[in-house]
Amino acid sequence: MKIAIVCYPTFGGSGVVATELGLALSRRGHEVHFVTYKQPVRLETISSHIRFHEVNVPEYPLFHYQPYELALSSKLVNVVKNYGIELLHVHYAIPHAYAGYMAKKMLEEEGISIPMVTTLHGTDITLVGNHPFYKPAVTFSINNSDLVTSVSDSLKEDTLKFFDIRKEIEVIPNFIDVSKFEKKAFTDCQRELMAHDDEKIITHVSNFRKVKRVEDVVKIFFEVQKNLKARLMMVGEGPERVVAEKLVRDLKIQDRVLFLGQSNEIDKILCFSDLFLLPSETESFGLAALEAMVQSVPVISSNTGGLPEVNVNGFSGYLHDVGDVTGMSRSAISILENQDKLMKFKKQAREAAEKFDINNIVPMYEELYQKALINA
Ligand code: GMT
């Protein structure tokens, strides 16, 4: 198949999923064309089955906002015509589904019919898309996609609750390439660079937005380090980083907390981590938790959104109500203070992650594409 994928090229989960999906599809013999404003961060290899098409939006002083949707839909029309693309797969409804629909309509004028699959990722529904400023356009573009998927049951429920949707939504969960993370020896992880042998390493990875509740991460860690020797790795960049840094300073734990910024070495950091914290306000799936689990890192998370579909309470970690810092701290300590329990949870975290192996999930997308092509 010849597929065009539209996504955000940044560190966010939706872009990561779209890129990994495209790479996996190309390895399975499909020709995949990424159409976005920058080369996606995880798109390292340009192979004969992968192409990247940059959407350019020239600055013009008349425009207060540059018309990205227009440039994207025009680019899609050209890519479809030039490369004989058979299917569009857009990740994140805003504005990709809207631009994809416009491209479809323009192509129809030229006698080209192309199906569009839209994958909903989370904030396009729960935070941004739900805003009255965007809601009519988001509803319209979901209803006018040929097929719609969501990354969890919870996100599907939210979409049906918040929007007037006439389309069937199929749940295809996010995935991970389990084989990339074969069990390593403890010593492979260069843990000694980060902590002493008797210290536990706790990690948080996010875009440091309000929804991630990074202050809770610091508060949980503060409680933990009163009970056992530990270090906190804060990975990522975003507006709440300064807030977390201030709290660390106020609590006088600067010597135990490391802010690593945006990193291309998340895999290395997770390799030597003992516990992952994700106390988010909401999370449609929690790809960051899955990335930790596959590296045998148990997760303490909130129990909202799609997180209970990924992190299994009492097995791969523990889940608590949003904001329950006391409960999360207690659970973190209970795992970290008992080496046997920690080892058991590490093994179980990996086991729970295996359900989301790329080889189980990518065929679901291929089947969906076939369905879209038959119905087109
Ligand atoms: O919130 C983020 O971390 C970024 C956001 C995005 O759009 O990239 O992530 C959303 O999509 C991810 C991939 O499907 C999910 O794993 C995240 O849970 C989801 N974020 C939220 O729902 C807050």
Side-chain angles (χ1 to χ4, degrees), residues 103-323:
K104 247 176 88 84
K105 286 288 149 195
M106 285 186 264
L107 287 160
E108 260 172 43
E109 298 263 291
E110 302 192 37
I112 301 169
S113 158
I114 183 161
M116 176 172 79
V117 175
T118 298
T119 292
L120 309 173
H121 277 276
T123 45
D124 46 352
I125 296 300
T126 52
L127 292 182
V128 194
N130 197 21
H131 196 284
F133 291 170
Y134 299 117
K135 203 167 178 171
V138 173
T139 310
F140 174 86
S141 30
I142 295 175
N143 280 331
N144 284 283
S145 300
D146 293 278
L147 292 172
V148 182
T149 76
S150 78
V151 297
S152 64
D153 287 318
S154 151
L155 182 60
K156 174 178 173 173
E157 279 164 32
D158 283 345
T159 310
L160 296 175
K161 190 164 76 199
F162 298 142
F163 297 85
D164 185 12
I165 299 300
R166 301 186 305 270
K167 272 257 138 32
E168 187 57 40
I169 299 177
E170 188 159 332
V171 176
I172 302 187
N174 288 334
F175 54 85
I176 194 97
D177 187 348
V178 169
S179 70
K180 261 198 206 163
F181 305 97
E182 286 319 332
K183 203 78 214 94
K184 296 182 195 89
F186 193 59
T187 44
D188 289 348
C189 295
Q190 298 186 296
R191 184 191 169 95
E192 67 284 356
L193 297 176
M194 289 300 179
H196 301 299
D197 276 357
D198 61 345
E199 285 173 322
K200 296 286 186 279
I201 299 181
I202 301 175
T203 299
H204 170 76
V205 182
S206 79
N207 50 20
F208 285 64
R209 296 201 190 282
K210 269 239 172 302
V211 69
K212 303 295 173 181
R213 297 184 69 97
V214 286
E215 280 181 283
D216 284 3
V217 173
V218 175
K219 288 177 193 165
I220 296 164
F221 176 74
F222 182 65
E223 292 308 316
V224 172
Q225 57 86 48
K226 284 184 196 163
N227 290 269
L228 47 97
K229 287 189 175 171
R231 281 183 190 270
L232 175 63
M233 308 285 146
M234 296 288 268
V235 188
E237 206 48 76
E240 291 293 296
R241 175 173 168 169
V242 283
V243 181
E245 282 174 325
K246 179 175 183 312
L247 184 58
V248 165
R249 216 167 46 238
D250 292 349
L251 295 171
K252 300 190 172 41
I253 49 173
Q254 299 99 307
D255 58 331
R256 342 232 76 238
V257 183
L258 226 67
F259 285 86
L260 296 168
Q262 216 150 55
S263 174
N264 281 320
E265 297 182 306
I266 307 265
D267 294 349
K268 287 189 193 160
I269 298 163
L270 289 171
C271 182
F272 53 63
S273 299
D274 294 299
L275 194 73
F276 190 81
L277 299 179
L278 195 62
S280 309
E281 186 78 36
T282 175
E283 204 68 66
S284 71
F285 183 88
L287 186 66
L290 181 60
E291 290 186 335
M293 285 158 58
V294 78
Q295 292 226 57
S296 305
V297 184
V299 174
I300 303 293
S301 72
S302 43
N303 56 12
T304 50
L307 279 168
E309 296 171 49
V310 181
N311 185 19
V312 186
N313 194 33
F315 188 76
S316 55
Y318 287 104
L319 295 95
H320 293 271
D321 289 345
V322 173

Side-chain angles (χ1 to χ4, degrees), residues 85-89 104 113-117 145-147 369 371-376:
I85 302 295
E86 296 160 276
L87 182 133
L88 296 180
H89 187 173
K104 247 176 88 84
S113 158
I114 183 161
M116 176 172 79
V117 175
S145 300
D146 293 278
L147 292 172
Y369 294 164
K371 201 157 99 187
L373 287 171
I374 289 166
N375 295 340

Side-chain angles (χ1 to χ4, degrees), residues 66-103:
Q66 306 304 317
Y68 179 66
E69 289 90 320
L70 238 66
L72 174 58
S73 50
S74 296
K75 187 80 181 183
L76 282 171
V77 168
N78 290 333
V79 171
V80 168
K81 282 177 16 190
N82 292 345
Y83 295 89
I85 302 295
E86 296 160 276
L87 182 133
L88 296 180
H89 187 173
V90 303
H91 290 259
Y92 207 90
I94 306 168
H96 299 153
Y98 196 73
Y101 172 79
M102 289 314 295

